[in-house]
């Protein structure tokens, strides 16, 4: 039974503390769209998405109006396209046509973004995988709503270093292809290790092949709510701190569970998971960095930052799993630079470096996210950063990712404005020493010994 105090508390979280449901994402399987004829394939894809998601946006708005809960984004994820296009697409340009079909379907259904222009190559690449990957720069420069991801490693298979090398080159090409918009195409491209099949957040969302025909996944967000709760326990010990984060995460996740169940019932699509990640925005008071500073850090990046983030991530998970039957996706705390004003401020004051952020990714939800770097950064250096993040994920049995934006024509000291939820970012320095001989070796880094659990 919901009492009046809980109603008041939720309204306060929404109105004063920036609580929102960040996304309702409908996952759609395209496996039944496969055809050897490219025209038939594209027609099947469009019709499947349009048919399944035609009421997604209107349903989300209805729930917003009825419950007063902001739902910021309505999105779609699809089966990794390298699998769907394998029979029909013989060149990278063939895959670009699928990207355009996906973009049209996304526009016609009214969703913000569509994820799943993806390839899963943790152990090896098929010709179809390689063609899709090579098509990414053109696909992202010729579409608005399509997001792309590539999984290059896992704890079970190791790291595909051929794919790591290729992705460094593809990120550079994507930056060049979208240089007129501050290389924004790279903001819609993420490289994963241990990618989850049910992630509702962009740019890494795709609909896993083990999922059903369609599913509703919801991502909630409430950094401002957690920050406000911690203000009330300043100076208290760690036990009180942990309990406060945990109880707050429980309340936030309950809101996501409610929205997910309502959307599932109204759309007649099964409920998948609630992703309880704390996803910041550029708005003041909606920052993960400010949570860490409220714990007692002068600035994010100071000694103790990684420990504070580990505490936050763990307590968010502990609180969230008690609030929902099914928790999945990434579920923890995001630390994207351009989307978090506190992170931006820490970089600008010299407190937060790329190397410190890499250490933080050992304990947070994802990885090096929305980081702008000089446009002159070499492809091999980008590949080296990808390999480092993948190694953290592989060894620690967790999801890690890289979303770097080498902004063509910009250097350290410059700032670029992406707008909206994407925010703005200072150009950060990158280690100037070369790793190309390491990257050029080719082959695979084997899975760690603790991956053998049979």
């Amino acid at each position: 039974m919901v009492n009046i105090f809980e109603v008041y508390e939720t309204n306060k979280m929404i109105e004063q503390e920036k609580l929102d449901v960040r996304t309702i994402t409908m996952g759609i399987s395209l496996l039944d769209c496969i055809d050897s004829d490219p025209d038939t394939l594209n027609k099947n894809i469009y019709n499947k998405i349009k048919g399944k998601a035609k009421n997604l946006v209107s349903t989300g708005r209805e729930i917003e109006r009825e419950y007063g809960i902001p739902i910021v984004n309505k999105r779609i994820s699809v089966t990794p396209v390298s699998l769907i296009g394998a029979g029909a697409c013989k060149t990278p340009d063939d895959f670009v046509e699928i990207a355009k079909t996906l973009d049209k379907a996304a526009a016609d259904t009214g969703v913000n973004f569509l994820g799943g222009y993806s390839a899963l190559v943790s152990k090896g690449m098929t010709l179809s995988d390689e063609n899709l990957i090579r098509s990414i720069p053109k696909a992202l420069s010729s579409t608005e709503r399509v997001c792309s991801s590539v999984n290059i490693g896992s704890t079970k298979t190791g790291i595909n270093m051929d794919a790591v090398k290729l992705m460094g080159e593809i990120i550079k090409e994507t930056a060049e292809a979208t240089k007129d918009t501050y290389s924004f195409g790279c903001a819609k491209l993420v490289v994963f290790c241990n990618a989850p099949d049910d992630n509702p957040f962009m740019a890494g969302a795709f609909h896993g092949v083990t999922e059903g025909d369609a599913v509703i996944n919801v991502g909630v967000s409430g950094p401002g709510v957690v920050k406000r709760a911690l203000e009330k326990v300043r100076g208290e010990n760690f036990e009180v701190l942990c309990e406060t984060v945990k109880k707050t995460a429980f309340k936030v996740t309950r809101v996501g569970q409610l929205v997910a169940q309502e959307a599932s019932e109204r759309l007649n699509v099964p409920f998948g998971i609630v992703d309880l990640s704390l996803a910041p925005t550029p708005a003041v008071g909606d920052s993960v960095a400010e949570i860490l500073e409220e714990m007692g850090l002068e600035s994010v990046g100071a000694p103790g930052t990684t420990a504070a983030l580990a505490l936050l991530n763990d307590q968010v998970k502990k609180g969230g799993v008690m609030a929902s039957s099914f928790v999945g996706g990434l579920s923890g705390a995001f630390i994207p630079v351009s989307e978090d004003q506190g992170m931006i401020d820490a970089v600008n004051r010299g407190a937060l470096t790329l190397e410190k952020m890499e250490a933080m990714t050992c304990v947070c939800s994802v990885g090096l996210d929305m980081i702008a770097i000089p446009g002159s950064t070499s492809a091999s250096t980008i590949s080296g950063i990808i390999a480092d993040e993948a190694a953290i994920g592989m060894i620690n049995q967790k999801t890690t990712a890289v979303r770097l934006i080498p902004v063509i024509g910009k250097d350290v000291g410059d700032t670029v404005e992406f707008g909206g939820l994407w925010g703005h970012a200072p150009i950060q320095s990158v280690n100037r020493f070369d790793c190309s001989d390491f990257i050029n070796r080719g082959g695979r880094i084997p899975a760690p010994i603790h991956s053998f659990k049979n």
Side-chain angles (χ1 to χ4, degrees):
M1 175 70 79
V2 178
N3 62 45
I4 191 67
F5 175 75
E6 290 174 309
V7 172
Y8 169 76
E9 190 174 44
T10 301
N11 286 338
K12 182 182 176 184
M13 288 192 293
I14 292 167
E15 293 172 5
Q16 299 179 22
E17 299 167 2
K18 304 186 188 304
L19 172 65
D20 61 54
V21 171
R22 188 54 48 85
T23 180
I24 295 179
T25 302
M26 179 181 284
I28 302 173
S29 173
L30 300 182
L31 291 173
D32 56 353
C33 298
I34 293 173
D35 197 279
S36 59
D37 176 65
D39 292 337
T40 303
L41 172 62
N42 279 285
K43 181 181 177 181
N44 291 346
I45 290 172
Y46 178 84
N47 290 339
K48 178 71 178 286
I49 294 171
K50 193 72 163 54
K52 286 287 183 183
K54 62 181 182 292
N55 295 322
L56 175 61
V57 173
S58 60
T59 299
R61 288 173 179 161
E62 287 173 8
I63 296 171
E64 282 185 283
R65 284 194 300 268
E66 291 180 28
Y67 288 92
I69 299 170
I71 302 172
V72 179
N73 297 295
K74 295 85 179 173
R75 296 167 170 172
I76 294 170
S77 63
V78 298
T79 312
V81 169
S82 69
L83 303 175
I84 306 307
C89 299
K90 307 304 179 187
T91 68
D93 283 343
D94 290 338
F95 275 106
V96 173
E97 292 306 309
I98 296 182
K100 293 177 179 177
T101 298
L102 295 172
D103 203 45
K104 177 173 170 51
D108 290 351
T109 54
V111 298
N112 310 89
F113 291 103
L114 185 152
Y117 196 74
S118 307
L120 309 178
V121 294
S122 62
K123 198 170 184 180
M125 276 187 287
T126 64
L127 180 59
S128 176
D129 291 328
E130 185 174 348
N131 281 334
L132 179 132
I133 291 171
R134 293 192 182 281
S135 77
I136 289 172
K138 189 172 182 180
L140 295 184
S141 64
S142 58
T143 60
E144 293 182 8
R145 294 172 171 84
V146 172
C147 293
S148 182
S149 60
V150 178
N151 189 67
I152 50 80
S154 74
T155 299
K156 198 69 177 173
T157 62
I159 303 172
N160 182 347
M161 290 301 292
D162 292 328
V164 169
K165 178 184 177 183
L166 178 57
M167 286 311 301
E169 297 165 359
I170 293 300
I171 290 170
K172 284 285 288 187
E173 290 175 23
T174 303
E176 189 66 42
T178 56
K179 63 182 179 182
D180 293 341
T181 54
Y182 296 124
S183 302
F184 183 68
C186 296
K188 299 186 290 178
L189 172 60
V190 59
V191 185
F192 274 116
C193 177
N194 289 323
D197 286 356
D198 54 6
N199 168 25
F201 286 99
M202 299 297 165
F206 63 86
H207 186 69
V209 294
T210 61
E211 300 280 341
D213 193 52
V215 69
I216 292 292
N217 297 320
V218 167
V220 295
S221 183
V225 181
V226 177
K227 164 75 159 51
R228 188 67 64 90
L230 293 185
E231 289 174 359
K232 299 173 183 176
V233 294
R234 285 178 183 166
E236 298 286 352
N237 63 31
F238 281 107
E239 183 179 356
V240 174
L241 179 67
C242 290
E243 281 298 305
T244 303
V245 174
K246 190 163 57 177
K247 289 176 181 177
T248 307
F250 176 89
K251 297 171 187 176
V252 169
T253 307
R254 289 300 290 173
V255 173
Q257 175 84 359
L258 170 65
V259 170
Q261 289 175 332
E262 282 293 320
S264 172
E265 183 176 326
R266 297 182 190 200
L267 291 165
N268 195 28
V269 173
F271 161 48
I273 58 96
V274 174
D275 186 320
L276 48 94
S277 295
L278 295 179
T281 72
V284 175
D286 201 23
S287 164
V288 170
E290 289 178 2
I291 296 173
L292 303 180
E293 290 167 359
E294 182 60 41
M295 289 183 184
L297 303 175
E298 180 182 1
S299 172
V300 168
T305 296
T306 304
L309 182 59
L311 182 156
L312 175 64
N313 213 53
D314 185 56
Q315 298 307 313
V316 165
K317 292 178 189 292
K318 286 174 178 174
V321 296
M322 296 298 293
S324 175
S325 306
F326 299 98
V327 171
L330 298 164
S331 289
F334 290 175
I335 52 170
V337 174
S338 78
E339 299 171 9
D340 187 319
Q341 186 59 51
M343 296 285 287
I344 295 168
D345 292 342
V347 170
N348 285 334
R349 70 172 69 101
L352 188 60
T353 64
L354 194 65
E355 287 75 18
K356 181 59 177 179
M357 282 188 280
E358 183 179 297
M360 292 165 69
T361 66
C362 296
V363 299
C364 77
S365 283
V366 195
L368 298 172
D369 195 17
M370 287 299 292
I371 297 173
I373 59 176
S376 59
T377 306
S378 68
S380 62
T381 294
I382 294 171
S383 293
I385 295 170
I386 293 170
D388 285 343
E389 273 302 300
I392 290 170
M394 176 184 72
I395 294 296
N396 292 303
Q397 304 177 69
K398 69 183 292 293
T399 301
T400 51
V402 170
R403 188 162 46 151
L404 296 178
I405 308 167
V407 185
I408 303 301
K410 299 293 182 179
D411 210 337
V412 177
D414 295 327
T415 298
V416 291
E417 180 71 48
F418 298 121
L421 288 175
W422 306 93
H424 63 280
I427 306 296
Q428 293 185 237
S429 62
V430 175
N431 192 303
R432 62 185 177 83
F433 291 95
D434 183 57
C435 64
S436 56
D437 287 348
F438 178 74
I439 298 299
N440 289 334
R441 284 178 177 272
R444 288 189 292 129
I445 293 178
I449 189 67
H450 58 255
S451 71
F452 306 128
K453 294 192 174 183
N454 287 337

